[in-house]
Amino acid sequence: MSITQQISSSFPSAYACRYCAPSLGLYFNLRLRRPRPRRRLPTALPPTTSSPPKTTTTTIISFLPRFLGPHFVTGNCHLSRMERFWTGSGIGTNKEMVEKLHNYGVVRSKKVAEVMESIDRAFFVPDDIPPYVDTPVPIGYNATISAPHMHATCLQLLEKHLKPGMRALDVGSGTGYLTACFALMVGPEGRAVGVEHIPELVASSMENIKKSAAAPLLKEGSLSVHVGDGRQGWPECAPYDAIHVGAAAAEIPPALIDQLKPGGRMVIPVGNIFQDLKVVDKDSDGSVNIHDETSVRYVPLTSREAQLRDN
């Protein structure tokens, strides 16, 4: 049941519904119109928030999580789906995590399931954090590793452009998880490239990959991770059949469009406070088509200096 359906079934009159966006601590209004007469709802805000003026009509959707730690300020999430995915730490294996994603309809193809089962997320998450919880987690340097459902979503969107022999670019590769998944999908005859502007993350991501099923590809050279400004892509290995961007850009960087191969696809979150995961397809004639896939929340795609400013 959607957010609108849940609330509409509970309240027969017109109302203004506000939900907390945990990544910014803001409240956004969703106004649903119903026939008169109108009835005012009681106010209910989180304990840490001051009460609104008496004229405010408010209710809180309780299933939206409230991340209290500062590292979750930049977590990636599907606001429209957040009520569907698990938040506990009871899942004990990588296979169980993938099965959950399949049961929820996020993982739909056999190939994506096989790759996610082969690349154990536990190698790419800090040791003190449960690796299979469906939430983004901090990895240091004001960065996060995306939630499993976001990785699965991007792999599904890019699957047809990650066939053996193809080339893939992972911008903002972080701990190296999705770069390793790309490498398995394109195989030793293809090329998977990760770009990350934090040298320490590049070094640790290579150690993570060495523990995973993608280790032989790193050794052979078909998988590589580089220190660089992801907004400029990695032209040495361009053009790419698939490009994934793991941070939100204010607008799509022209260099990434240039490095996208005709017939290729890029997935990139775009926006500031409000973000959409955009799918960018380049036709064989070089023309570009863009559509929105879903609303998301990612860390900003910015310079190394800006990212480390508040670290």
Side-chain angles (χ1 to χ4, degrees), residues 242-255:
I243 298 177
H244 166 265
V245 183
E251 57 186 23
I252 301 173

Side-chain angles (χ1 to χ4, degrees), residues 59 108 110 119 153 155 170 175 180 209-210 238 244 272:
T59 186
R108 301 184 301 277
K110 181 179 179 181
I119 302 296
T153 296
L155 286 170
D170 185 18
T175 63
I209 293 170
K210 289 177 182 177
H244 166 265
N272 295 308

Side-chain angles (χ1 to χ4, degrees), residues 39-101:
R39 177 166 61 89
R40 194 172 303 283
L41 299 179
T43 296
L45 286 177
T48 57
T49 306
S50 58
S51 298
K54 291 183 179 180
T55 57
T56 301
T57 303
T58 307
T59 186
I60 298 298
I61 301 174
S62 61
F63 58 74
L64 290 175
R66 294 164 57 201
F67 298 130
L68 302 181
H71 295 291
F72 287 100
V73 167
T74 53
N76 311 349
C77 64
H78 277 155
L79 291 177
S80 62
R81 294 181 176 178
M82 200 178 299
E83 78 276 17
R84 292 181 56 192
F85 302 130
W86 68 97
T87 57
S89 57
I91 297 178
T93 68
N94 193 68
K95 183 176 177 63
E96 291 176 348
M97 180 193 76
V98 178
E99 288 175 348
K100 277 274 192 180
L101 292 169

Side-chain angles (χ1 to χ4, degrees), residues 86 89 91-98 101 115-135 137-139 145-148 151 175-178 180-181 204-205 207-213:
W86 68 97
S89 57
I91 297 178
T93 68
N94 193 68
K95 183 176 177 63
E96 291 176 348
M97 180 193 76
V98 178
L101 292 169
V115 168
M116 292 190 71
E117 286 182 9
S118 298
I119 302 296
D120 195 330
R121 183 177 165 89
F123 294 135
F124 299 87
V125 173
D127 293 337
D128 58 342
I129 296 176
Y132 308 120
V133 177
D134 191 36
T135 184
V137 297
I139 58 175
I145 177 174
S146 298
H151 282 149
T175 63
Y177 175 81
L178 210 55
C181 290
S204 63
S205 69
E207 294 302 315
N208 297 338
I209 293 170
K210 289 177 182 177
K211 303 173 189 175
S212 76

